[in-house]
Amino acid sequence: MPQSIQLGDAKAAEIKAVSIGKTFGAFHALRNLSLDIGRGEFLTLLGPSGSGKTTFLMILAGFTAPTTGRLMMDGKDITNVPAEDRSYGMVFQGYALFPHLTVEQNIAFPLKVRGRSSADIKRKVGEMVQRVGLTGHETKLPAKLSGGQQQRVALARALVFEPSVLLLDEPFSALDKNLREMMQQEVKRLHEETGTTFVFVTHDQSEALALSSRVAIFNHGELLQVGKPQDVYERPESRFVAEFLGEINLLPLDALRLEGDRAAGQFEERTIVLNRTMAMTGPNAVAAVRPEHMVICTGPQNGDRNAITCRVEGATYFGASTKYHLKTRRGTSLAVSMPTAATSPIAPQTDVWVSWPVHQGFLLPAGG
Amino acid sequence: MTGKSATSRKMLLLAPLLLFLGLAYVVPFLGVVRWSFTLPEPGVGQYRALLTDPLVQSVFARTLRICLVVTAATLVMAYAIAYVWVRGSSVQRMLAEFCILVPFWISVLTRAFGWLAMLSNRGLINTWLQSAGIISEPLALARNELGVIIGMTHFLIPFAVFPIASAMRSIDERVLLAARGMGASRIRIFWTVFVPLTYGGLIGAALIVFVFALGFFVTPAILGGGRSVMVAELVYLRIFQSPDWGLGAAISVVLVLFIGVLLALMRRFIKPAHLVG
Ligand SMILES: Nc1ncnc2c1ncn2[C@@H]1O[C@H](COP(=O)(O)OP(=O)(O)OP(=O)(O)O)[C@@H](O)[C@H]1O
Ligand SMILES: [Mg+2]
């Protein structure tokens, strides 16, 4: 029986990563990463392939040692505590179920390791099977289960021993859209029920926004921004974050000037006004606006709005919404997404106005 | 229809092999079957003798006993070598590979005599132990069942390493990590996850080794020194020394049938592709 170090009695732990770095040879997989993960939080690590999400998760779990930096849990330094003593729940990409054990035996494994009595194990496993909706499949081997069912076994196995932290590495990447959405809701519910700290990895931005209490965006081994879904989506601090979280229109501005808590600049002979959200570094910047925050209209609208003239180039029908592709007079491409029900089709080559509320636009540095 | 002609073309490629197997094994074996029913006189007399002759029975019993012990010993050692080969550091891997491949370059005969030089009464081991004063009388290491078992095990280990290593390689690393993450100790992971996931390879290796061992001739003849005769040697003795061709033939037929049954069992348990790694 492994000597389990008592790391904290709380069911949900608080983790602090302090300037974590990880190199493989000369390659920097993670650079100077500091991140606080709050008690009971649902934190999502989001980033493109190869950005270091799995590496960071492996460091959190204790399977990989960081090259530099420290990891604290509930105030204690756990940098050198091995994985088996941290005992976080983990759902691996591809699930990593024990192929030779039945559903029940898989879920019972962590309890057996902890030397629980067989009556206790039976009760707990039964409870968990019911909770994740696997009743009737208890004696099946993983190979006999569908992808979604395997996913549930992995979740049950990771949660059954009430770990203080649950780590999930792209758990839904192999599932189809419907099943994926169902499992997302289930994970969300399990998070609310257990109150455990969840760290979830994905490279699907809509999944990240839908599930998390906070999102941490990675790129090239760096943590670019951490914040509530709405904040990172509507107030990205960098162009990468803005573009990674969803489609965005970028309008280059000239003659940037400050007017109180607002900024204004010129875009194709029109003045664009924005909230001042970032420190301005020069006279040039881009105005960034999400396609769904813009509307197509017949004239410059009144109120606290910006408007520019465009020509419709085409439209793509997405069911609930329709996306219009437009070009400004000097050839900047724009996309405007509007609820299909709220608009009547607009023919290509029509000249229109595109407008958006001042508070929906934000400034980004002109460069990158 | 292209599929059909492609299949028949592949069959054509197989033809030389089939022809060779037919001429070199099937036809002669049918001859042996005929002898077993015709020599010295027509009938099932030889098979009845098999059931009653105490010498034949003791040889069969010894063969089974030796093969079981050899299979067990081979599996244990092959498992250790395969483990190092698959999961060791790069130096360990190279060493293991060397240990697995070298035996293939040395003939069975050379190896049997090599063991004789090690194990006999005045062999390396006994002389060394005696000069070190650890023993006064030489240990009986060769010219008995022990010698046969040592020699055969040594010969068979590489054949068991391949299917076992193949099973070990197909284990998903993340499954082992998952077990660790749940707090399982390394020993526990080895016995409750790693080993069970290699059962397929172990069964395959066991059957290969056992079937192979049943027909061993050179190693038992040399290291057994005529005192622990196994079935293949008995056939040889019946045919070339007694000469009792009918009985020798009947023993061969029984041995081939027995091996056939084992191979059929093996096919049920594992895919042939798993055996070569
Ligand atoms: N053991 C290793 N040795 C060398 N390089 C590694 C190792 N593990 C990861 N890397 C490199 O570190 C970088 C980050 O890898 P990581 O697996 O953390 O990416 P990720 O963000 O999880 O990507 P994905 O979304 O594709 O899973 C990659 O460029 C990868 O090639
Ligand atoms: Mg990854």
Side-chain angles (χ1 to χ4, degrees), chain B residues 52-62 229 234 237-238 247:
Chain B
T52 50
D53 186 337
L55 174 72
V56 172
Q57 287 187 348
S58 77
V59 170
F60 265 102
R62 178 186 300 122
V229 172
L234 183 64
L237 293 174
R238 288 297 133 183
L247 189 62

Side-chain angles (χ1 to χ4, degrees), chain A residues 23-25 27-30 47-57 93 169-170 201-203 218 221:
Chain A
T23 52
F24 295 107
F27 178 77
H28 289 261
L30 289 177
S49 191
S51 57
K53 307 178 299 288
T54 298
T55 306
F56 185 58
L57 207 67
Q93 189 166 356
D169 193 356
E170 307 206 21
V201 169
T202 182
H203 55 233
F218 282 61

Side-chain angles (χ1 to χ4, degrees), chain A residues 44-53 170 201-209 215-220 222 224-225 229 232-234 236-250 288 290 362 364 368:
Chain A
T44 297
L45 312 181
L46 176 68
S49 191
S51 57
K53 307 178 299 288
E170 307 206 21
V201 169
T202 182
H203 55 233
D204 177 336
Q205 42 92 13
S206 62
E207 185 166 278
L209 297 174
V215 182
I217 295 129
F218 282 61
N219 192 29
H220 293 310
E222 274 175 284
L224 296 183
Q225 191 175 349
V232 290
Y233 185 75
E234 295 184 2
E237 286 162 8
S238 61
R239 217 145 138 174
F240 177 85
V241 173
E243 289 181 309
F244 193 72
L245 286 176
E247 201 175 351
I248 194 143
N249 294 305
L250 299 172
R290 299 267 177 216
F362 48 89
L364 287 173

Side-chain angles (χ1 to χ4, degrees), chain A residues 13-302:
Chain A
E14 179 180 54
I15 298 178
K16 215 178 170 72
V18 187
S19 349
I20 295 279
K22 177 73 192 174
T23 52
F24 295 107
F27 178 77
H28 289 261
L30 289 177
R31 288 166 201 270
N32 195 23
L33 194 153
S34 295
L35 179 60
D36 290 353
I37 304 168
R39 207 177 293 287
E41 166 157 49
F42 194 127
L43 178 79
T44 297
L45 312 181
L46 176 68
S49 191
S51 57
K53 307 178 299 288
T54 298
T55 306
F56 185 58
L57 207 67
M58 288 293 171
I59 289 173
L60 285 181
F63 294 129
T64 312
T67 317
T68 58
R70 278 175 309 135
L71 212 57
M72 314 286 289
M73 175 166 134
D74 296 335
K76 284 173 220 143
D77 190 326
I78 56 159
T79 318
N80 297 316
V81 175
E84 48 271 45
D85 297 336
R86 285 186 207 185
S87 269
Y88 297 162
M90 175 126 187
V91 177
F92 287 80
Q93 189 166 356
Y95 319 136
L97 299 177
F98 301 123
H100 61 299
L101 299 181
T102 64
V103 168
E104 267 176 337
Q105 292 166 331
N106 260 284
I107 302 174
F109 189 91
L111 300 174
K112 281 200 181 139
V113 168
R114 280 165 180 71
R116 302 279 176 80
S117 72
S118 57
D120 197 20
I121 293 177
K122 207 172 145 74
R123 187 177 53 79
K124 273 243 144 75
V125 170
E127 245 173 58
M128 213 60 218
V129 163
Q130 205 170 15
R131 204 184 214 179
V132 298
L134 282 169
T135 315
H137 302 288
E138 292 91 337
T139 55
K140 288 188 186 167
L141 288 174
K144 296 269 162 7
L145 299 175
S146 72
Q149 289 166 340
Q150 291 182 25
Q151 173 59 55
R152 283 158 214 239
V153 179
L155 271 173
R157 188 182 66 171
L159 282 168
V160 72
F161 61 102
E162 296 171 6
S164 55
V165 176
L166 181 66
L167 308 172
L168 305 104
D169 193 356
E170 307 206 21
F172 308 141
S173 55
L175 306 182
D176 65 50
K177 189 168 173 290
N178 285 335
L179 194 54
R180 202 178 164 107
E181 277 166 13
M182 213 168 91
M183 291 306 301
Q184 287 171 358
Q185 290 321 305
E186 228 151 282
V187 163
K188 208 167 174 169
R189 179 176 59 82
L190 284 171
H191 175 249
E192 279 154 17
E193 278 176 22
T194 56
T196 300
T197 307
F198 276 41
V199 182
F200 184 96
V201 169
T202 182
H203 55 233
D204 177 336
Q205 42 92 13
S206 62
E207 185 166 278
L209 297 174
L211 290 177
S212 331
S213 57
R214 282 195 311 155
V215 182
I217 295 129
F218 282 61
N219 192 29
H220 293 310
E222 274 175 284
L223 176 61
L224 296 183
Q225 191 175 349
V226 198
K228 296 202 182 79
Q230 198 172 351
D231 291 346
V232 290
Y233 185 75
E234 295 184 2
R235 294 285 172 266
E237 286 162 8
S238 61
R239 217 145 138 174
F240 177 85
V241 173
E243 289 181 309
F244 193 72
L245 286 176
E247 201 175 351
I248 194 143
N249 294 305
L250 299 172
L251 310 173
L253 299 180
D254 298 322
L256 198 64
R257 59 200 179 272
L258 304 181
E259 293 169 358
D261 61 345
R262 292 190 161 185
Q266 295 303 120
F267 175 78
E268 296 184 1
E269 285 96 44
R270 290 199 62 89
T271 301
I272 306 286
V273 182
L274 307 121
N275 281 333
R276 222 176 107 193
T277 48
M278 53 160 256
M280 252 162 302
T281 49
N284 298 316
V286 291
V289 191
R290 299 267 177 216
E292 68 276 18
H293 291 149
M294 291 177 150
V295 292
I296 294 175
C297 43
T298 49
Q301 292 187 316
N302 298 325

Side-chain angles (χ1 to χ4, degrees), chain B residues 118-238:
Chain B
M118 292 278 287
L119 303 175
S120 65
N121 282 358
R122 274 178 297 159
L124 284 176
I125 294 178
N126 276 319
T127 359
W128 185 78
L129 287 177
Q130 276 173 314
S131 65
I134 297 169
I135 51 169
S136 51
E137 290 298 304
L139 299 173
L141 297 174
R143 303 203 175 277
N144 56 16
E145 271 182 34
L146 181 61
V148 174
I149 288 168
I150 293 174
M152 286 176 68
T153 302
H154 176 240
F155 184 90
L156 288 165
I157 284 173
F159 297 95
V161 167
F162 289 109
I164 294 173
S166 158
M168 286 179 179
R169 269 198 203 98
S170 62
I171 294 178
D172 181 353
E173 188 61 34
R174 284 174 300 185
V175 169
L176 304 177
L177 279 186
R180 244 183 89 196
M182 282 176 249
S185 65
R186 273 150 214 267
I187 294 171
R188 188 188 194 99
I189 295 172
F190 181 77
W191 287 110
T192 62
V193 182
F194 192 84
V195 172
L197 289 178
T198 57
Y199 281 161
L202 275 170
I203 293 173
L207 280 163
I208 288 182
V209 169
F210 191 75
V211 166
F212 220 149
L214 280 174
F216 257 53
F217 174 72
V218 174
T219 312
I222 292 171
L223 286 165
R227 265 175 282 175
S228 41
V229 172
M230 286 176 67
V231 169
E233 197 183 351
L234 183 64
V235 173
Y236 170 82
L237 293 174
R238 288 297 133 183

